Amino acid sequence: MHNTEAKERVSSELHYELSQHYYQEATLLQNGEFNTWIETFVAKDLHYWMPVTERRYSKDKRPEPTPYDMAIYNDDYDEVKDRVARLLTGAVWMEDPRSTVRYLITNIEAFHTDKDDEFVVRSNFVVYRHRGQLEHSEHVGCRQDLIRKVGNGFQLARRKVSLDARVTEDKNLYIFF
Amino acid sequence: MKPVNKLIQQDGAIQDRAIFWDEDIYQKEMEEIFARCWLFLTHESIIPDEGDYQSTMMGEDSVVVARQKDGSIKAFVNSCTHRGNAVCFSDGGNAKSFTCPYHGWVFGMDGNLVDVPLEKQAYHNEIDKDALHLKKIRVESYKGFVFGTFDDEAPSLKDYLGGMAWYMDSFMDVPGGCELIGPPMKSILDCNWKNPTENFIGDGYHVGWAHASALEIAGGPLAIAKGNAVYDAETSGLQVTVPEGHGFGVIWEGAAALHGGPVFEAYQKWLDDRSPLIREKMGEHREKFYRGHWDAAIFPNCSFLYGTNTFKMWQPRGPHSIEVLTWTLVEKEMPDQLKQMIHTDNMLTFGTAGILESDDGENMEQCTQTNRGYSTRQGTLYLGMGKGHEYLDPELPGLVSKGWVNEAPQRGMYRRWAEFMEGKPWSELSTTAQLEQKKVGG
Ligand code: FES
Ligand SMILES: [Fe+2]
């Protein structure tokens, strides 16, 4: 589950390393290097989750969505790998010519957990997508990740993506956030 | 607006492109179709208890559907009768009443006006609260699926569904019935609402080509359709259109076929175990439909895939845009684990980021947007596949054709569309009952 307890903030060196990792991740995704991303930046015990959050009145006491509820992404490693593999079949007509996707990653806050090699990292994003001649969309939200130190780098073990929009103003969300 | 017999010709096979573009046609659809037809609202399982409600759309009208004290379900337009503000702003929940944020009028869960601030001091107790209820909507359920209509003249929901109800019973009327898992995913697609409806109602043709990439990945038994490599028109399935405009295509033995690996096995076992019960209750035909995979639409704008179990509404937002709502359909008596597996697969394949659904968005949009061109728009479009090969089957309602790659259900949908757009009263609209008489009469 996602709520691995966040403890104190990481040092500035570690914060720097982590933010570099996030920028590299964005670069891979922007360049369509999905295989490198899934093979080196993603842990095998991944849970990649984008819940659907209803608009509810504040007095509504129903619990927040869990991974048993409706979600736009609710994937384990193999499912994300399948999504990557589809993009590389050469038969995704709407991605030929390719669309361009740009990630702006900000507000990175990183915390220790009770495991030495695992960190909770929160970040905000704006993702812009342009397609064809005039088509464009933007998606704004935040991510809560569990990141694991592996060798010289980091791997993503959990990602909860929270979109700000209730209704997606785009024909699909087949974008890795 | 051109005359309807120019918009739809050759028994539904030719459509004028204006039907995907023109504002006046769209406004006429709002009046003749969306203000008259039964439109899907929600499922009873989503609002089980007194005070439970959901907000949704009927055409472009915002509405609220709520469970009443006596267990019945009522629906009303989400617009205050004072100055017209919306009274409900949440997706759903449980409430005793709705208070309008503008001047504080309070409406009960049945839509009645129950309280107004300063009733004595400012209205001098002269306001006729009984006359100022929210606009009420006729509501009926079919096997738990709740529909509403603005038209008091409309036939019962069951008659509106016509022959489609007989087919849908194959899964809606299983012991315990079906339920929907929400809250729905919601997204915007810049297409006309008829594009995805015609896609779901009968477009088996696009599957092998449009979804080639996804079929390669999904790998279940349906993957053989990839690139149209294998297709047997005689034995692979059926297509059905009923005079009420609804229709579907079925791939025999395909219900679980888009699910991969362990989900396929668990679901197939469930279907095998259930089949004898279905046969006993509803006969051999319905057992066969129960085990098949369906692409289907309930006229005008509700669609589903039975087997893959995605359930969709295409809510119109002007002629060139829709809001897509996506739920998961499951049998109530399935074990929780199987429900969860099917639900997860539906999100993966036909959700907002679905590996199949994402293939289609572009097709839907461009089929609408190319008609922006004036000269393009002067042309017509063709749905002639299999025309003349439909037949009356003595044992099946509606008009049937062999194979699941065909365009008969789309033609049926446009025949119905034309009947509505001509403004015919309900008594002059075609029905399955009439068609059945023809069968008997020969
Ligand atoms: S508009 Fe609703 S109370 Fe005035
Ligand atoms: Fe499709």
Side-chain angles (χ1 to χ4, degrees):
Chain A
M1 287 281 306
H2 274 272
N3 295 324
T4 305
E5 190 106 19
K7 300 187 150 181
E8 72 274 20
R9 283 169 193 269
V10 302
S11 67
S12 53
E13 284 105 299
L14 194 49
H15 187 274
Y16 176 78
E17 276 182 56
L18 280 163
S19 45
Q20 290 305 306
H21 172 81
Y22 275 82
Y23 300 151
Q24 274 178 33
E25 180 184 39
T27 302
L28 287 179
L29 295 173
Q30 279 167 189
N31 293 345
E33 295 175 60
F34 304 114
N35 263 338
T36 313
W37 175 70
I38 187 90
E39 275 157 22
T40 60
F41 276 53
V42 176
K44 296 283 188 298
D45 60 341
L46 175 72
H47 181 225
Y48 186 87
W49 185 40
M50 183 191 283
V52 168
T53 308
E54 285 180 286
R55 295 288 188 235
R56 292 177 183 170
Y57 284 122
S58 49
K59 63 172 184 279
D60 194 329
K61 293 292 176 269
R62 284 176 294 166
E64 291 292 300
T66 74
Y68 296 102
D69 297 316
M70 185 65 88
I72 295 171
Y73 284 85
N74 199 351
D75 292 5
D76 61 18
Y77 181 85
D78 287 335
E79 283 160 338
V80 176
K81 208 173 149 79
D82 280 353
R83 291 186 193 268
V84 166
R86 170 182 168 269
L87 285 174
L88 303 172
T89 55
V92 181
W93 316 130
M94 72 166 281
E95 278 303 321
D96 196 7
R98 259 190 68 192
S99 52
T100 48
V101 179
R102 191 77 49 211
Y103 295 78
L104 304 191
I105 309 292
T106 72
N107 301 54
I108 296 171
E109 294 183 284
F111 304 88
H112 288 280
T113 66
D114 46 18
K115 286 192 185 156
D116 282 349
D117 60 342
E118 289 187 349
F119 308 94
V120 167
V121 185
R122 295 198 293 254
S123 57
N124 288 352
F125 63 80
V126 183
V127 177
Y128 295 99
R129 172 155 67 169
H130 287 77
R131 299 188 60 257
Q133 303 295 318
L134 277 171
E135 219 176 273
H136 56 90
S137 58
E138 61 184 55
H139 304 284
V140 181
C142 66
R143 310 186 293 193
Q144 173 148 331
D145 297 345
L146 185 71
I147 292 275
R148 192 176 296 136
K149 179 93 186 146
V150 179
N152 287 331
F154 298 96
Q155 283 190 335
L156 180 68
R158 309 272 182 280
R159 175 162 283 172
K160 178 185 175 185
V161 183
S162 305
L163 291 174
D164 289 356
R166 170 66 179 100
V167 182
T168 299
E169 287 196 72
D170 203 345
K171 70 183 84 188
N172 66 57
L173 276 178
Y174 209 107
I175 307 169
F176 299 111
F177 286 88
Chain B
M1 201 183 111
K2 286 186 201 169
V4 175
N5 64 6
K6 290 275 177 317
L7 294 174
I8 302 297
Q9 296 183 46
Q10 295 185 22
D11 219 13
I14 306 283
Q15 311 83 43
D16 192 293
R17 284 167 172 261
I19 68 167
F20 296 105
W21 193 261
D22 285 7
E23 180 70 32
D24 56 345
I25 294 177
Y26 177 78
Q27 290 305 337
K28 192 95 181 139
E29 286 176 332
M30 292 299 108
E31 183 186 339
E32 297 293 355
I33 296 176
F34 287 86
R36 295 186 68 196
C37 287
W38 283 99
L39 305 172
F40 177 74
L41 295 175
T42 191
H43 193 277
E44 290 191 22
S45 60
I46 293 175
I47 48 168
D49 301 322
E50 181 191 339
D52 287 350
Y53 69 93
Q54 288 282 300
S55 41
T56 185
M57 304 290 287
M58 291 173 67
E60 296 210 54
D61 295 284
S62 168
V63 304
V64 173
V65 49
R67 182 73 75 167
Q68 306 296 305
K69 220 184 229 115
D70 63 0
S72 68
I73 292 171
K74 290 188 173 155
F76 45 82
V77 171
N78 184 15
S79 176
C80 182
T81 45
H82 181 216
R83 307 307 311 140
N85 192 13
V87 300
C88 172
F89 291 82
S90 75
D91 285 9
N94 184 281
K96 291 198 163 52
S97 59
F98 293 103
T99 304
C100 178
Y102 197 176
H103 310 92
W105 284 19
V106 181
F107 297 92
M109 298 311 282
D110 53 2
N112 287 334
L113 178 59
V114 294
D115 196 21
V116 300
L118 304 179
E119 181 172 1
K120 184 160 174 258
Q121 302 92 316
Y123 282 106
H124 311 287
N125 282 331
E126 286 162 8
I127 183 169
D128 182 3
K129 297 210 296 292
D130 289 345
L132 289 164
H133 58 80
L134 300 174
K135 184 181 171 73
K136 299 198 177 180
I137 294 159
R138 213 176 130 197
V139 174
E140 285 180 23
S141 285
Y142 189 75
K143 320 260 154 137
F145 292 78
V146 184
F147 288 70
T149 178
F150 288 108
D151 188 353
D152 290 335
E153 311 283 300
S156 70
L157 174 61
K158 183 156 197 296
D159 286 346
Y160 175 85
L161 294 172
M164 189 72 178
W166 185 89
Y167 290 103
M168 291 193 303
D169 282 352
S170 338
F171 60 90
M172 284 186 178
D173 209 19
V174 296
C178 286
E179 62 186 7
L180 290 185
I181 304 175
M185 292 184 244
K186 297 181 181 180
S187 62
I188 301 294
L189 204 53
D190 289 329
C191 66
N192 185 276
W193 64 271
K194 296 185 289 302
N195 293 121
T197 306
E198 64 165 62
N199 175 271
F200 271 67
I201 206 170
D203 199 330
Y205 192 31
H206 84 294
V207 174
W209 182 250
H211 299 303
S213 66
L215 292 174
E216 184 169 329
I217 300 307
L222 253 189
I224 55 162
K226 187 190 134 201
N228 297 318
V230 181
Y231 172 69
D232 183 339
E234 277 298 303
T235 59
S236 58
L238 272 191
Q239 287 208 323
V240 175
T241 171
V242 298
E244 290 79 6
H246 326 300
F248 68 104
V250 59
I251 303 175
W252 297 132
E253 289 298 313
L258 255 187
H259 301 278
V263 191
F264 173 77
E265 294 193 353
Y267 191 10
Q268 191 59 49
K269 180 169 186 312
W270 171 262
L271 293 164
D272 292 343
D273 292 349
R274 281 293 242 202
S275 291
L277 281 173
I278 310 298
R279 186 203 304 239
E280 200 181 309
K281 187 172 178 189
M282 292 182 264
E284 257 171 51
H285 280 298
R286 255 95 58 94
E287 180 196 8
K288 218 173 157 197
F289 285 108
Y290 175 72
R291 296 172 63 83
H293 184 279
W294 306 26
D295 51 283
I298 302 171
F299 189 88
N301 65 330
C302 178
S303 294
F304 60 89
L305 300 176
Y306 166 72
T308 300
N309 288 340
T310 197
F311 194 90
K312 303 260 188 187
M313 280 297 282
W314 322 106
Q315 303 287 20
R317 293 162 36 86
H320 315 141
S321 180
I322 60 170
E323 182 173 320
V324 180
L325 282 77
T326 308
W327 294 261
T328 304
L329 171 73
V330 289
E331 286 181 38
K332 217 173 257 175
E333 290 187 357
M334 281 174 174
D336 283 347
Q337 203 193 356
L338 180 59
K339 284 184 191 172
Q340 191 62 42
M341 287 197 267
I342 290 172
H343 181 41
T344 305
D345 261 12
N346 172 36
M347 296 184 272
L348 177 65
T349 53
F350 278 93
T352 309
I355 59 172
L356 280 99
E357 189 75 335
S358 297
D359 291 323
D360 280 327
E362 182 76 353
N363 296 322
M364 300 298 113
E365 288 195 351
Q366 292 305 321
C367 287
T368 296
Q369 298 296 335
T370 50
N371 298 305
R372 174 181 296 275
Y374 173 81
S375 295
T376 305
R377 196 159 77 234
Q378 305 314 304
T380 56
L381 296 163
Y382 182 65
L383 281 172
M385 184 189 286
K387 189 163 187 288
H389 297 267
E390 302 94 335
Y391 58 93
L392 291 170
D393 185 306
E395 294 180 30
L396 302 174
L399 210 48
V400 180
S401 23
K402 284 195 174 136
W404 57 279
V405 178
N406 205 312
E407 288 169 344
Q410 292 97 308
R411 289 191 291 276
M413 167 188 158
Y414 285 113
R415 285 196 295 271
R416 189 56 160 190
W417 185 90
E419 285 191 359
F420 272 109
M421 293 295 275
E422 278 163 2
K424 290 186 175 172
W426 287 98
S427 59
E428 286 172 30
L429 294 171
S430 310
T431 63
T432 299
Q434 285 164 349
L435 200 67
E436 297 310 297
Q437 274 178 357
K438 220 186 252 176
K439 274 186 210 177
V440 178

